[in-house]
Structures are given as structure tokens and as C-alpha cells.
Amino acid sequence: DAGVTQSPTHLIKTRGQQVTLRCSPKSGHDTVSWYQQALGQGPQFIFQYYEEEERQRGNFPDRFSGHQFPNYSSELNVNALLLGDSALYLCASSSDIRANPEKLFFGSGTQLSVL
Amino acid sequence: GQQLNQSPQSMFIQEGEDVSMNCTSSSIFNTWLWYKQDPGEGPVLLIALYKAGELTSNGRLTAQFGITRKDSFLNISASIPSDVGIYFCAGLLGRTQGGSEKLVFGKGTKLTVNP
């Protein structure tokens, strides 16, 4: 049973570019959340998708957007990249939007470097 | 927004020693969680705490939900080399519409175990 898979594992972009990160949830999961983890920091919640809609959003600008597909996979898009967007982007999935935290599983992340 | 103060930032210990770390907040949390993150991986849940005063163990790990609901503690007994990693506390404010999206993470405690 595959866990949460993210692609790519590493990515290098330059300022002003746009990037798309992808996530496939754990089998049987229908809810996907995205987190940003800057170097030396804990993960910060970006947003959550359920039934192909953004359900909750953290304190991130509109440059950060997402999408969830009918197969529950998800994309995170970041426009007009800034140096400060360099971070590990984590995807987490759960089987229910109201699932207990112990049912939240994280992927290994995409390391984004903005030069 | 809510912030979690996690201490210490880093620890260097000898194999076999016990470890203690804690997390405090100015806000009350309904749930406290402890995660471990290895290099290149996403966080993995170690222990979840749901009631003030609760003491929960998972093998050599023991965590407590503070009585004031503003703090939590994690202890690791008889440390071994594979305990190396970054330990994060996380607080969950509530589970009204959903739970996982309101996780607030500390900055982590980096643990190094010398054989």
C-alpha cells in the first residue's frame, strides 16, 4: 500500500517563475492538505482540499493556489516565485475531513529552491 | 497567530541517556501531538494527546498533556542512535469543520545521539 507520494522530490526555479507540485494521497484517503516547511522551522499549513474544493486556508497569499482532481490527487501552484518561497513543501492526506490527527499521513515532500 | 515555543532547540546526548523536551503556548489547545522527522522525510506521528493531564506512552516515549492545556512534554528513555532526528510538537485548536488543517507546529528540537 503506497503512502502519500509527492513529485518532484527536488526542484530549482528562479524568481518570478511559476511552479506546480503534485501529490497523490494514501490509498483510501480523500482529503489533502499542503504545508510549507522553511529551513529550521516547523510545517505551516497552506490549505486543505476535500471534494475538489479548498476547504480551509492558512495565512498565505493568493500566489499560492491549488487543485484537487476527481481521483483525490492534488496540485499546489505558486506564481511569481520569491526567494522566500524556498522550502520543503509537504502534502498530507487523511481519510476524512474530520479525521483525528493520528489519521493524517505526510509525504516526503518536494524541496523547492528559488534562485 | 498561535505560536508554539519548543525547547530546547537542539540536544547532544550519549546513547543510553534519557531526553526531555517541551512545548509551551500562550493559547489553549484541545489536542497535542508529537512528531519525528528524519532528513528527507515528512513528519511521522509519535504520540497524540487529547485530555488535559493525560500521560501516554509509546515504547520508550512518554508524553504528557499539560493541565493548563498550554503545554506538553515529551520524554525519551534510554536513547539509541536511531532516535536521531527532529522532534516537533503540534497543537490542534479544534475539530469543528475539520481537524488536521488547524495544526500549529513548533520549530522543533534537533536530537543528536552519540554512540
Side-chain angles (χ1 to χ4, degrees):
Chain A
D1 176 25
V4 180
T5 57
Q6 293 186 242
S7 63
T9 54
H10 296 82
L11 202 52
I12 299 175
K13 292 286 188 179
T14 56
R15 281 180 298 174
Q17 285 189 315
Q18 179 265 344
V19 69
T20 298
L21 311 181
R22 296 175 176 81
C23 172
S24 292
K26 184 176 169 64
S27 178
H29 286 189
D30 58 7
T31 302
V32 173
S33 300
W34 286 92
Y35 287 78
Q36 180 195 65
Q37 186 176 18
L39 189 63
Q41 304 292 317
Q44 271 196 293
F45 174 75
I46 303 175
F47 42 52
Q48 181 188 60
Y49 276 84
Y50 173 69
E51 292 186 335
E52 302 178 47
E53 289 187 11
E54 182 183 297
R55 298 292 178 160
Q56 296 285 341
R57 189 179 183 93
N59 189 24
F60 280 80
D62 292 344
R63 297 187 298 110
F64 289 77
S65 64
H67 190 78
Q68 186 179 33
F69 299 93
N71 67 352
Y72 309 120
S73 67
S74 177
E75 288 182 348
L76 165 64
N77 301 295
V78 187
N79 294 324
L81 284 167
L82 304 173
L83 295 179
D85 295 331
S86 295
L88 179 68
Y89 287 85
L90 295 164
C91 172
S93 73
S94 59
S95 58
D96 188 320
I97 194 169
R98 291 175 298 277
N100 288 336
E102 64 264 28
K103 297 182 182 178
L104 185 70
F105 291 86
F106 284 88
S108 297
T110 294
Q111 184 65 55
L112 173 65
S113 298
V114 182
L115 306 178
Chain B
Q2 294 82 15
Q3 283 190 322
L4 297 185
N5 301 308
Q6 191 171 347
S7 64
Q9 279 188 314
S10 61
M11 302 182 74
F12 297 83
I13 63 170
Q14 293 296 126
E15 183 177 357
E17 289 184 353
D18 296 343
V19 172
S20 292
M21 59 190 78
N22 69 80
C23 205
T24 61
S25 172
S26 58
S27 301
I28 290 175
F29 287 95
N30 293 327
T31 301
W32 282 94
L33 305 148
W34 285 93
Y35 289 86
K36 181 180 181 234
Q37 186 174 27
D38 293 326
E41 300 293 330
V44 174
L45 182 66
L46 299 173
I47 293 179
L49 302 157
Y50 297 103
K51 294 180 182 179
E54 180 181 355
L55 187 70
T56 297
S57 293
N58 178 7
R60 293 178 295 105
L61 277 62
T62 302
Q64 184 162 23
F65 191 142
I67 291 291
T68 64
R69 294 165 64 192
K70 292 183 178 181
D71 56 9
S72 181
F73 307 86
L74 175 70
N75 295 312
I76 305 173
S77 63
S79 58
I80 59 178
S82 62
D83 290 334
V84 165
I86 302 178
Y87 292 79
F88 289 98
C89 62
L92 185 64
L93 288 170
R95 278 189 254 127
T96 52
Q97 187 176 359
S100 308
E101 75 281 6
K102 294 200 182 296
L103 275 178
V104 178
F105 283 83
K107 292 186 177 182
T109 293
K110 185 175 182 180
L111 179 64
T112 302
V113 180
N114 296 315

